[in-house]
Every structure is written in structure tokens, then in C-alpha cells.
Amino acid sequence: MLSLRVKLTLYYLAILSAVLIFFGFAIYAYLSRSLLWTIDYSLATQAQAIVQRMVTEVGAEVGSAGHSVSPHEEHHSDQLLFAPQVVQVIDGRGRITDETLSRVAHSIPINLEKLNQLGNNQDLFETFRLESGEEFRVVARRSQDAEGSTYFVRLGQSLAPLQQARRRLLFILLITIPAALLLGSYGGLVLANQALRPVDRITRAAERIGTGDLSERVPLPTKMDELGRLAATFNNMIARLEAAFERQRQFTSDASHELRTPLAVLRGDIEIALRRDRTPEEYKRVLTSSLEEIIRLSRLVEDLLTLARADIGQAALRCEPVSLEDLCQQMVDYISPLVQQQEQKLIYQAPRSPIIINGDLQRLKQLLLNLLDNAIKYTDKGGIITLGLKTAGDEAVLTVADTGRGIAPEDLPHIFERFYRHSHSSSEKGVTGFGLGLAIVKWIVDSHGGKIEVSSEPGKGAIFTLRFPLLNS
Ligand code: ADP
């Protein structure tokens, strides 16, 4: 498995070599073509000049004294870049009638068929490779003598300089391209190393975190580029994980603590009762208090289970249309005997029309029970508990208010936390709880897409306000 830096370097190299090879080819082709064009242009111009000259001289000869037609003239033209090395005059049957002295003239084949296809003022360009490997560029042009018979003028130019230039360029390219690739691969590796260094740091930190040290953080780079953002996101994730782990740890330790105390009391009571024989009344008293403790413990275990399931997302709601009005009435009927027992008063402010929300009936019952139970618990005799239900816009608004001792401002931000209890709660007579009720209420409200608020004036009471989205609103 190739490492990312090697892969990056290879990609980079592949692109670089493609670009270099493409440009190498382009330069090579362009140089060859443009040199050939220059030679062709020069040859064509000279062939044209020679033909012109021969025609003029033939005309002059016809009108005056005899003068042989010869291509051995000096052709002065500023445009002539290359002096042709071969100049031939070929007659209509493909025989050379005149030519410059040249070592190669006879080695250049004559293709009469192609020559005959030439029109007037047309140039035929051909490249011939001699046995020596040398290339010749040849241009042929058609003309006619005084008697009207066809002849061809052929000019040839050695391509040796061009071939040499091409060879040199190829040589230079073959040296420079691999050298550039070598340098490029080194540069690519250095770049990839530099770019991936922060990733290495993140990986090392992640490994340390993986071994259990959640307090570890990835060092943030100075620039907030992609990797900077990755490191920041990673740190945020670890911070959330750490907080979740810490909550879980706290929850487990609080839960065990809460379970231990009542179990110890239970065990102590039973052990003392068993030390000697007791009267049936004494046994009954111990059994009754044990039963109370067991009921309390069962509630705690039930609450713990609800929250643990909620944490792992297993406490799915079974939602259906729920009439909050009916539910509130049910809860009022259910709780009234307890309120009377506490010598308190319960007022239910029922809505004028039915209020339906999409919810889990059992969970909503649990929610109301927890809130009303708290209101009763934390309100003295003669206090008033008010349950209100109404709509506001597209929301159902449920309020549970009491005239009890209220909540201290410093407690307000924490009362929905698990196991959070007002410091005096546990010492208060008759007030029994584990600090899980409101945590469960909050979870139920949240999972119904609702909101919960609490306001309180210490000594005067507390008001819990809950809002739920109305069904089909
Ligand atoms: P528990 O009632 O079992 O202690 P809760 O989660 O229901 O746990 O409540 C957390 C804390 O919030 C309580 O200990 C209490 O101090 C405070 N609290 C809740 N409801 C009220 C209320 N109606 N009036 C005054 N204090 C309250």
C-alpha cells in the first residue's frame, strides 16, 4: 500500500512528465516544420525565378540570336536563404537535360508520373532519403520551351542542417526532460512531506487519544487552512467525546452511590431486626419501612433505566395524537388524593378547545407526574398548585406552577442536570428524590421537539413552562 505522500509525488510526476513530453514534442515538431517551411519557401521562390528567367530568355532567343537555355545563372534575390545544391532541367520523357554539378543529383529518383500531374505554376515538394541517410528536399516546377515541349525544373536542397538541428534538439530534450523530472520528483516529495506534516501531527495526537487520553488535543496550525479546520473539528469532536465520557462516568458513579445508600439502610434494618426474636408488630414495622425503601429503589432503577436507554437512543417514542386536555384531566384526578393529603390545593386551568399534539402518551404522563410530584414535594401545607393548558400560536403551552419554596437563582441553571438536587433537599423532612426527575422531564420534552423553561422567585414558588408543537399546525 503506497503512502499518501508517495501517491501525491507520483501523481505530480505523471502530470509533470505529460506536460514536459507534450511540450518537447510540440517544440520538436514546430522546429522541424518551420525549418522545412523556410527551405520550401526558398526552393519554391528560386524555382519560380529560374523558370521565369528561362522563359524570358527563350523568348528573347526566338526573337534574336541563338542562346542556350541554361539554369547556370546567378539568381540574385534577397529572399534566398539557401542556395540550392541541385538544379536540374528534366525533359518531358524524364531525362535530365541539364544540371548543376552535384555529387547527389543522379541519386534523386525522377517520378515522371507525378511530374506530369503538375499544373503550370504548381510546385511539387518531395523529400528523398539518400543511401548515406542524408535527406534532400526537392521542388519541381513545370514549364515549356519555345517549341511548346514540356520540361521541368527541379531544385534540391540538402536537409542535413535541419536533420542536425533536430538531432541536437532531441538530444537536449532527452537530457533536460529526465533531469527536470528528477528535480520535479524531489521537489514533489518535499512538497508532499511539507503538506502532510500537519496530518502526521494529527495522526499522532489521534493515536495518543485512542489509547485513552481524552484530554489530549491536536496542536492547531497557525493558518486556518483545510488542515487547520480539520484539526479544529477533530479537537471539537474530542472535546464532545470527553464531555460525554465524563457525563457517563459521573452518571455511573452517582447511580452506584444512590443505590448503595438505600441498600445499606435496608440491610442494616433487616440485620438489626434479625439479631433477636421480635414481636409481630416489630417485624411488621421493619417490613413496612423496608418495602418503602424498596419502592424508592425500584423508582430509582426505573429512572436510571429510562435515562440509560435515552442515552443510547433505545428509548424510542411511540407517538400518536394525544389530547393534552384529557391527559391533564387524568393527571389531576390521579394526583388529587395526594394533594389533599398534603393539605394543598390543585387548580386546573383547562383550555376552551381540545389541544392535540403528536406524542407518546406514557412519556407525557411520566413528565406531568414528575412535575406535579415536585410541585407537591416542594410546597408546604396550604400551598396552591396550578396546572395550566392553553395554545399560543402554533404551540401548546403547559404550565405547572406552585407557591412553594422556589428555586435559588444559583440552582436554576442546573436543575435539569442528572442527580442535581438542591443542597438542602435531601435533609428536608419527607422530601425524597434522586435528582433524576427533571432530567427525565427535559429528555421527554426534547424528544417531542418541545421547549421547557423555569422561572422562580425563592420563597414564592416556581413556574415550569413547556411548549409543544401542535399537531398539523
Ligand atoms: P428530585 O426532585 O428527585 O430531587 P428533580 O430532578 O425532580 O429531582 O429536581 C431537581 C431539583 O430541582 C430538586 O432537588 C429541587 O431542588 C429543584 N426543584 C424541582 N422542582 C421544584 C419545585 N417545584 N420547587 C422548588 N424546587 C424544585
Side-chain angles (χ1 to χ4, degrees), residues 299 303 370-379 400-408 411 414-426 428 431-441 454 456 461-464:
R299 258 213 333 262
D303 286 354
N370 282 358
L371 287 175
L372 289 169
D373 189 50
N374 275 351
I376 295 168
K377 255 192 329 195
Y378 299 112
T379 303
V400 180
D402 62 60
T403 55
R405 62 153 211 229
I407 305 164
D411 287 334
H414 304 289
I415 55 166
F416 294 106
E417 290 169 15
R418 291 170 187 191
F419 296 110
Y420 187 85
R421 309 199 65 219
H422 171 62
S423 43
H424 305 300
S425 294
S426 45
E428 279 170 41
V431 173
T432 54
F434 297 99
L436 292 178
L438 286 183
I440 292 177
V441 166
V454 55
S456 173
I463 306 176
F464 287 84

Side-chain angles (χ1 to χ4, degrees), residues 124-377:
L124 171 69
F125 290 103
E126 285 172 296
T127 304
F128 296 102
R129 180 181 278 273
L130 306 184
E131 268 172 18
S132 61
E134 185 182 354
E135 286 181 349
F136 255 79
R137 189 67 170 167
V138 176
V139 65
R141 205 164 233 269
R142 171 199 280 268
S143 190
Q144 275 168 351
D145 61 15
E147 286 98 51
S149 22
T150 300
Y151 65 92
F152 304 95
V153 171
R154 268 210 329 181
L155 268 66
Q157 169 71 46
S158 166
L159 291 183
L162 183 143
Q163 281 175 287
Q164 200 181 11
R166 276 202 305 225
R167 269 197 301 275
R168 270 196 204 132
L169 180 64
L170 202 63
F171 179 72
I172 290 170
L173 289 177
L174 284 180
I175 295 213
T176 51
I177 289 182
L181 286 180
L182 217 64
L183 262 175
S185 52
Y186 176 71
L189 207 61
V190 170
L191 271 179
N193 262 333
Q194 211 158 359
L196 293 177
R197 199 165 300 147
V199 177
D200 279 341
R201 277 207 303 273
I202 296 177
T203 313
R204 274 198 300 278
E207 276 164 4
R208 280 197 298 275
I209 292 164
T211 55
D213 187 3
L214 280 177
S215 63
E216 181 81 37
R217 292 289 178 274
V218 174
L220 285 180
T222 39
K223 276 179 273 153
M224 272 322 248
D225 51 11
E226 288 87 341
L227 288 173
R229 286 204 302 279
L230 172 69
T233 313
F234 186 78
N235 280 349
N236 280 342
M237 191 188 80
I238 297 302
R240 281 205 304 277
L241 260 183
E242 190 185 15
F245 267 52
E246 179 51 30
R247 270 204 307 277
Q248 204 63 40
R249 201 191 54 74
Q250 190 69 41
F251 182 55
T252 317
S253 105
D254 289 349
S256 347
H257 178 77
E258 293 292 344
L259 283 168
R260 208 172 52 194
T261 317
L263 278 175
V265 172
L266 205 60
R267 181 178 165 176
D269 282 356
I270 295 173
E271 274 174 358
I272 291 170
L274 288 177
R275 258 184 216 157
R276 59 182 172 83
D277 285 341
R278 309 263 173 194
T279 61
E281 284 70 33
E282 279 173 326
Y283 280 128
K284 196 173 169 190
R285 194 183 51 75
V286 172
L287 281 176
T288 314
S289 86
S290 298
L291 183 65
E292 273 172 19
E293 208 56 43
I294 288 170
I295 291 171
R296 235 168 69 80
L297 273 173
S298 313
R299 258 213 333 262
L300 170 62
V301 171
E302 199 60 46
D303 286 354
L304 285 175
L305 211 63
T306 305
L307 286 170
R309 283 199 183 127
D311 282 346
I312 55 169
Q314 272 188 2
L317 300 184
R318 274 189 289 273
C319 283
E320 55 185 328
V322 173
S323 160
L324 281 185
E325 190 204 359
D326 292 350
L327 178 66
C328 285
Q329 191 57 60
Q330 264 181 37
M331 294 317 291
V332 166
D333 296 344
Y334 179 76
I335 209 100
S336 285
L338 188 63
V339 175
Q340 274 162 18
Q341 197 189 328
Q342 298 294 318
E343 295 171 30
Q344 293 162 340
K345 200 172 157 200
L346 177 63
I347 302 170
Y348 173 39
Q349 296 167 333
R352 281 189 213 103
S353 52
I355 296 179
I356 314 282
I357 66 162
N358 192 32
D360 183 320
L361 188 64
Q362 292 314 317
R363 294 292 181 210
L364 290 170
K365 264 187 194 168
Q366 190 178 8
L367 173 148
L368 272 175
L369 199 63
N370 282 358
L371 287 175
L372 289 169
D373 189 50
N374 275 351
I376 295 168
K377 255 192 329 195

Side-chain angles (χ1 to χ4, degrees), residues 454-473:
V454 55
S455 62
S456 173
E457 215 177 306
K460 292 201 171 159
I463 306 176
F464 287 84
T465 309
L466 292 78
R467 292 167 200 279
F468 295 100
L470 284 172
L471 188 66
N472 298 329
S473 65

